[in-house]
Amino acid sequence: QVQLVESGGGLVQAGGSLRLSCTASGRTFSSYAMGWFRQAPGKEREFVAAISWSGGSALYTDSVKGRFTISRDNAKNTVYLQMNSLKPEDTAVYYCAQSSLRVGSTREVVYDYWGQGTQVTVSS
């Protein structure tokens, strides 16, 4: 029903920047909140950021506040994650997800659809 495709990952040195994109098809994109999660090897997947259906509000995990910015362009069915001042501990596979709700949540269980992920590697 819903397909999410991430792009923009890569290798960057500490202090650098990357911009991730996630394009959705299927369920009406603009009606649902979107989120970004990440998972490092051997670690549990963790919440990174979420944005409401209209883009009017956003949530961030404490470790990325002030460095990452989530945004969306509903006309393009795309959500973005601008990552600045990257640190080695940001290294992970980053996943975008579409929520069943209109506003963002930190809880994985409210996200119904997930992309396959894009690798972000930050070297020290």
Side-chain angles (χ1 to χ4, degrees):
Q1 183 181 356
V2 174
Q3 181 174 306
L4 305 175
V5 180
E6 302 98 334
S7 63
L11 175 64
V12 65
Q13 293 192 48
S17 298
L18 286 172
R19 189 186 193 188
L20 306 183
S21 299
C22 173
T23 299
S25 62
R27 188 165 64 177
T28 304
F29 178 80
S30 62
S31 296
Y32 301 95
M34 297 291 294
W36 286 97
F37 293 76
R38 65 188 181 186
Q39 187 171 26
K43 304 291 186 180
E44 293 292 313
R45 188 157 56 194
E46 67 171 340
F47 170 78
V48 177
I51 189 166
S52 65
W53 69 297
S54 64
S57 62
L59 299 171
Y60 300 93
T61 192
D62 286 344
S63 64
V64 308
K65 287 180 180 177
R67 299 189 298 120
F68 291 10
T69 302
I70 188 171
S71 62
R72 66 191 298 163
D73 184 344
N74 287 345
K76 297 176 65 176
N77 290 345
T78 300
V79 62
Y80 305 95
L81 186 67
Q82 178 67 48
M83 305 186 294
N84 298 326
S85 301
L86 283 162
K87 304 174 181 180
E89 50 263 47
D90 296 318
T91 296
V93 176
Y94 283 70
Y95 299 89
C96 69
Q98 186 174 100
S99 177
S100 62
L101 307 176
R102 302 297 180 101
V103 297
S105 174
T106 63
R107 298 184 298 162
E108 288 190 37
V109 294
V110 308
Y111 294 88
D112 290 342
Y113 299 97
W114 295 79
Q116 291 188 324
T118 185
Q119 177 71 47
V120 172
T121 302
V122 184
S123 62
S124 60

